[in-house]
Amino acid sequence: MSSAHALPAQWRGQALAPLNPDTAFNGYICANVLHALERLGVFQRLAAEHTLDISAYCEQHALDPAVFQALVRAADSFGYLDVHGGQVRATAVGEDAVRALGFFTWGVGGYHDVFANAAPLARGDRRFGADLHRDEAMVALGSAQADTALMRHILDEEIARIDFHTLVDLGAGISERVSRLVKDRPGSRGIGVDISRPATELAHETVAGHGLAGVVQPVCADVLDILFKDHEVDGGDTADVVMSFMFLHDLLADPRRREEVVPRLRKAFPQAHTFLLGDTTIRPRGEGEDSRLPVFSSGFELAHALMGVPIHTREAYERLFERGGMRLRRTVPFGAPHTYLFVLEAA
Ligand SMILES: C[S@@+](CC[C@H](N)C(=O)[O-])C[C@H]1O[C@@H](n2cnc3c(N)ncnc32)[C@H](O)[C@@H]1O
């Protein structure tokens, strides 16, 4: 598969394939360590204060000192932290890694059970969605972290050129994006729709944290019910801008309804003049530096194959929008590897 479009240089990545077994095994452990340290607030503390005292940190956060020591030592051996005399600092790689932590929240926090059960899934002994689940809240949190680190400035630039009063975010996760955009546009309101109860509960906290209770409304609902079963969301009929991020492929999962999704989006939100749809696409193969891999793409592609959710190329998305009656204003590289923001007008 190849693409006629030039790709941002950083999407080519730095991981050299083939990954030898030493690198692969250590990468697996290292990913778990980074996720654990992120969950324990270590990177946030180091970003704010540059150094961390192991004993004091364990006491302050009621952590088992032996386990915490083992984690920071592991991170030291992987080159992310420097540990000297009970004091911890981030290395240059550790400082850089902060921007990529959302991918670890997503992969390790969200998909650990799915990846670990790949063989039973292949055999048909387990089925995703029946007796095997991802951690929806971690998937949503990882997406929000990646947004903050890599994507938010790109969306801000696009939305600054667009008028809106009511913004709807579909598959909104913890409603971080919609809250932020509404906060920046006084007088506007927002709705964040997500199927996951845990993510919607977190969304209520996000909204309250932004001081937007009553202005941004998190709604726990299945977007497919809105599109295909006339399920109505309060205020949805007045939406003038509809967005969705990292979610479109979920809406398109059923091949029997795929062609209908874009026309139904237009029908469900009749006042919407602009649709901002961001999603990760299939990494084009067979171009340039094939031996280098970026963060995220391999995980995104495998996770969705294991879940039985097809993912799509940039070109396939663009054709689908056109067939569904939306006009593509532009396709913008959207921070994370092989991820695009499609800026669309209801034609
Ligand atoms: C990868 S996350 C992206 C979250 C958020 N848009 C972001 O970028 O931070 C995908 C989200 O879609 C939600 N989702 C999946 N299927 C859904 C459906 N049918 N209706 C509503 N939400 C859904 C999941 O619960 C999850 O929060």
Side-chain angles (χ1 to χ4, degrees):
M1 193 179 313
S2 70
S3 162
H5 303 282
L7 301 174
Q10 64 274 27
W11 286 7
R12 298 214 182 276
Q14 294 180 44
L16 267 180
L19 281 78
N20 61 45
D22 295 0
T23 306
F25 187 87
N26 282 288
Y28 168 69
I29 303 297
C30 183
N32 281 275
V33 167
L34 294 180
H35 176 59
L37 294 176
E38 188 281 328
R39 291 287 70 208
L40 295 172
V42 169
F43 289 105
Q44 293 90 322
R45 166 66 76 90
L46 290 175
E49 296 181 17
H50 303 293
T51 181
L52 170 160
D53 179 275
I54 293 177
S55 316
Y57 199 76
C58 287
E59 211 173 300
Q60 191 184 355
H61 296 279
L63 303 178
D64 181 320
V67 174
F68 188 69
Q69 290 246 12
L71 285 169
V72 291
R73 290 230 170 88
D76 180 310
S77 62
F78 294 128
Y80 283 80
L81 299 179
D82 264 333
V83 185
H84 283 295
Q87 299 294 312
V88 179
R89 284 179 170 275
T91 62
V93 174
E95 280 175 5
D96 267 6
V98 168
R99 291 189 328 125
L101 288 177
F103 297 125
F104 296 89
T105 305
W106 176 90
V108 182
Y111 282 97
H112 55 102
D113 274 352
V114 176
F115 288 131
N117 280 286
L121 280 169
R123 278 192 218 103
D125 293 343
R126 299 195 71 176
R127 276 204 348 199
F128 181 79
D131 59 0
L132 182 63
H133 302 275
R134 58 185 176 181
D135 183 327
E136 298 283 3
M138 282 291 118
V139 170
L141 179 62
S143 298
Q145 290 171 333
D147 172 54
T148 305
L150 302 168
M151 301 164 164
R152 117 186 331 202
H153 61 286
I154 302 169
L155 178 60
D156 286 355
E157 249 173 60
E158 286 303 322
I159 204 113
R161 312 173 204 197
I162 298 171
D163 265 344
F164 70 87
H165 292 100
T166 304
L167 190 57
V168 171
D169 191 1
L170 303 175
I174 65 168
S175 283
E176 175 59 36
R177 271 196 190 88
V178 61
S179 298
R180 187 170 55 76
L181 296 174
V182 165
K183 199 172 180 176
D184 287 350
R185 188 71 61 97
S188 69
R189 56 190 294 264
I191 302 168
V193 183
D194 203 282
I195 199 170
S196 154
R197 267 189 202 290
T200 308
E201 276 159 27
L202 285 173
H204 281 285
E205 289 174 28
T206 312
V207 168
H210 282 285
L212 291 171
V215 178
V216 173
Q217 189 56 48
V219 174
C220 189
D222 184 339
V223 173
L224 288 169
D225 287 347
I226 299 174
L227 300 190
F228 291 97
K229 294 187 184 164
D230 295 327
H231 175 98
E232 282 181 21
V233 169
D234 237 9
D237 54 343
T238 62
D240 36 24
V241 174
V242 175
M243 345 182 268
S244 102
F245 301 96
M246 314 309 138
F247 169 58
L248 193 54
H249 57 278
D250 286 317
L251 283 184
L252 301 176
D254 181 347
R256 291 163 304 178
R257 300 205 279 208
R258 192 168 296 149
E259 284 298 320
E260 270 303 296
V261 165
V262 173
R264 295 266 178 160
L265 274 170
R266 293 172 61 227
K267 187 160 170 260
F269 301 101
Q271 303 295 325
H273 52 74
T274 306
F275 291 79
L276 294 167
L277 307 180
D279 209 350
T280 302
T281 60
I282 297 171
R283 181 173 66 88
R285 307 299 205 266
E287 289 185 2
E289 297 272 351
D290 274 342
S291 58
R292 287 180 192 273
L293 301 171
V295 70
F296 188 49
S297 288
S298 60
F300 179 80
E301 292 179 10
L302 182 60
H304 287 86
L306 296 177
M307 294 186 292
V309 176
I311 54 173
H312 310 276
T313 60
R314 165 185 175 163
E315 292 76 13
Y317 272 132
E318 291 177 344
R319 287 193 296 267
L320 189 86
F321 298 138
E322 197 185 300
R323 288 198 300 272
M326 286 190 191
R327 197 180 78 76
L328 183 65
R329 197 178 299 154
R330 68 185 139 264
T331 301
V332 186
F334 199 31
H338 305 290
T339 301
Y340 293 99
L341 178 64
F342 300 101
V343 183
L344 299 146
E345 290 162 16

